Amino acid sequence: MRTSDITNRFTESVIREMTRVANAHGAVNLSQGFPDWPAPQVIKEAAAKAILSDVNQYAITFGAKPLREAIAELYLKRYEMQVNPETDLCVCCGATEAIISALLATTNRGDEVVIFTPFYENYGPDCWISGAVPRFVPLRLTKVNGTIRWMFDPDELRRAFNDKTRAIIVNSPQNPTGHVFDEHELKVIADLCIQHDALAITDEIYEFITYDGHRHIPIATLPGMADRTITISGLSKTWSVTGWRMGYSVAPRDITLGIRKVHDFLTVGAAAPLMEAGAVALRMPDSYYAEMQARYAARRTFALDMLRASGFDPVVPEGAYYIMADFSALRRSADEDDTAFAMRLVKEIGVATVPGSSFFWEKGPDNPGRSFVRFAFCKQQATLDAAAARLKALHA
Ligand code: PLP
């Protein structure tokens, strides 16, 4: 093989592959998590204006000043977090680049990084590329006060932390489960980070999309955590601009210096005109966030009803815009696993999902995701209506 040992350790993204499969079969694409509605007019106009005013050359590598200032303002307003735009911020090409830059900047070969499973599939390759070793801790479906939630066992998490632990990745609201880590869970994680002198690398890309009173809490706001947290978020999801590739990290000055160095040599910088528009996005009025939340809440209700009516057993998400749904009742045969089911769904029914196993690390029959597929409901009502009509054929 002419590719490196590290590259040979992982496959291409299953999520992004499912979009290609969906396109090839003309399926309704409920696989990849991109909204299929227009981005806000005001930010599109700001982007166009920036290009026409010739903001077309490299910006400062770690992010254009107006965007950094807008990010700092937002953190202060939303979470009372003090972020110095000159020293604590690095704007990257998406949260994706911020996460791998954070790992490259802070982990040494052989350091362990704790990751909850199921997990957003980038985190494994991000660790391997950085030379770090992922250490997986499961979230399990657990009944809490009558509600089914994806929970970790605090003792199991404690056992995962050791002398080699450098960091834990906390993704809340979580993809694919929609779990929103509450204050109690975050406190358990924070205590372990402090006890083991570990970092929390957070992925808060869905921070503004929560339901049923669940509240997003950045772990950096917990006592003792500001100095050991790399908070990562971005514009992709909240402003429906996944193609703009705009994300950022917030971290103490010394760590930010490391992230900025890695980022500079990886990509130099994010797109200059889009950073100008990003500053406009982050300053949109509160009503924007409220309308977006309401739109997602309505889609979630529709998608849950659609899945239940089609024979799935969906787990109700607390945030983000995905539903993990158990398809056991729809299995054609006992050996139909999630990949076979997802392929049948694309080819025969015309709806694309992501096989649940791709969010877990276990291989073969031990993979807990084998009876799940993940649906993304960040789609126009017409798209969801088309999916609902096609899913009826599951019973034909
Ligand atoms: N983090 C999570 C948990 C995601 O689900 C996604 C996209 O689906 C990303 C990061 C990618 O973010 P970005 O578009 O900012 O790179």
Side-chain angles (χ1 to χ4, degrees):
M1 245 193 257
R2 297 204 298 176
T3 45
S4 68
D5 293 346
I6 286 179
T7 311
N8 297 341
R9 290 195 69 166
F10 50 88
T11 59
E12 278 189 79
S13 155
V14 178
I15 301 177
R16 290 170 296 265
E17 170 65 13
M18 284 310 288
T19 284
R20 291 191 284 269
V21 175
N23 292 343
H25 290 87
V28 178
N29 189 359
L30 303 189
S31 59
Q32 203 176 355
F34 62 85
D36 67 349
W37 48 69
Q41 186 66 17
V42 58
I43 72 170
K44 289 191 290 197
E45 282 169 6
K49 188 172 155 213
I51 291 176
L52 292 172
S53 339
D54 249 324
V55 183
N56 291 317
Q57 308 309 324
Y58 299 122
I60 293 174
T61 56
F62 50 80
K65 197 176 167 75
L67 177 57
R68 279 183 286 117
E69 286 173 348
I71 297 168
E73 265 174 41
L74 189 70
Y75 274 101
L76 186 63
K77 182 171 155 200
R78 290 270 162 181
Y79 308 116
E80 294 177 14
M81 272 169 72
Q82 297 283 348
V83 176
N84 183 333
E86 296 308 322
T87 55
D88 305 344
L89 262 168
C90 183
V91 178
C92 294
C93 300
T96 301
E97 195 221 335
I99 296 163
I100 194 159
S101 297
L103 283 164
L104 284 165
T106 58
T107 56
N108 289 312
R109 190 156 294 278
D111 283 351
E112 289 188 7
V113 174
V114 178
I115 298 174
F116 292 110
T117 64
F119 62 101
Y120 175 57
E121 57 175 1
N122 281 41
Y123 305 149
D126 285 350
C127 285
W128 291 313
I129 291 170
S130 313
V133 180
R135 173 116 187 195
F136 298 103
V137 173
L139 300 178
R140 292 197 188 85
L141 284 172
T142 312
K143 204 168 206 174
V144 186
N145 300 327
T147 306
I148 297 286
R149 306 190 67 203
W150 296 86
M151 304 294 289
F152 66 84
D153 171 354
D155 288 330
E156 210 169 355
L157 185 63
R158 261 175 222 119
R159 287 197 296 277
F161 274 75
N162 62 67
D163 291 350
K164 291 192 198 145
T165 309
R166 179 69 183 123
I168 178 168
I169 298 179
V170 184
N171 171 212
S172 183
Q174 211 231 19
N175 174 9
T177 63
H179 182 68
V180 177
F181 288 73
D182 61 28
E183 195 163 2
H184 173 73
E185 294 168 286
L186 293 175
K187 175 98 176 50
V188 172
I189 299 169
D191 286 349
L192 284 166
C193 287
I194 292 166
Q195 192 183 330
H196 291 270
D197 194 17
L199 298 170
I201 300 176
T202 72
D203 179 346
E204 306 185 11
I205 192 87
Y206 300 103
E207 62 186 309
F208 297 112
I209 307 174
T210 57
Y211 312 104
D212 302 334
H214 288 279
R215 193 169 58 94
H216 173 66
I217 305 171
I219 200 169
T221 59
L222 268 63
M225 288 306 288
D227 192 47
R228 57 176 65 257
T229 302
I230 304 173
T231 305
I232 291 170
S233 194
L235 271 71
S236 281
K237 314 291 177 170
T238 309
W239 287 275
S240 309
V241 287
T242 56
W244 281 19
R245 315 305 310 122
M246 195 146 301
Y248 41 83
S249 66
V250 173
R253 176 188 295 240
D254 57 331
I255 295 179
T256 295
L257 272 177
I259 296 173
R260 286 179 177 182
K261 276 197 286 184
V262 174
H263 158 73
D264 188 359
F265 286 105
L266 279 180
T267 62
V268 178
L274 302 184
M275 285 199 271
E276 302 295 319
V280 173
L282 269 60
R283 293 198 174 102
M284 284 177 76
D286 289 349
S287 57
Y288 173 73
Y289 298 87
E291 278 161 27
M292 183 204 48
Q293 292 247 4
R295 179 193 292 188
Y296 277 119
R299 298 292 193 281
R300 182 186 70 145
T301 302
F302 182 91
L304 286 168
D305 289 348
M306 167 183 86
L307 294 176
R308 289 187 187 117
S310 312
F312 291 91
D313 184 8
V315 184
V316 178
E318 301 164 352
Y321 48 52
Y322 305 99
I323 298 175
M324 284 286 263
D326 191 314
F327 66 87
S328 301
L330 295 164
R331 270 208 174 92
R332 197 173 257 174
S333 63
D335 61 355
E336 187 176 49
D337 67 9
D338 57 319
T339 305
F341 179 77
M343 290 315 288
R344 170 156 72 93
L345 217 54
V346 175
K347 290 182 185 166
E348 293 181 21
I349 308 292
V351 175
T353 59
V354 181
S357 61
S358 56
F359 301 102
F360 293 84
W361 67 276
E362 291 93 340
K363 298 274 171 279
D366 292 337
N367 188 305
R370 279 166 62 94
S371 57
F372 285 93
V373 284
R374 190 201 72 175
F375 288 84
F377 58 86
C378 46
K379 305 294 171 186
Q380 294 181 30
Q381 190 54 47
T383 312
L384 293 180
D385 287 342
R390 290 179 180 206
L391 286 173
K392 286 200 177 111
L394 271 172
H395 298 287

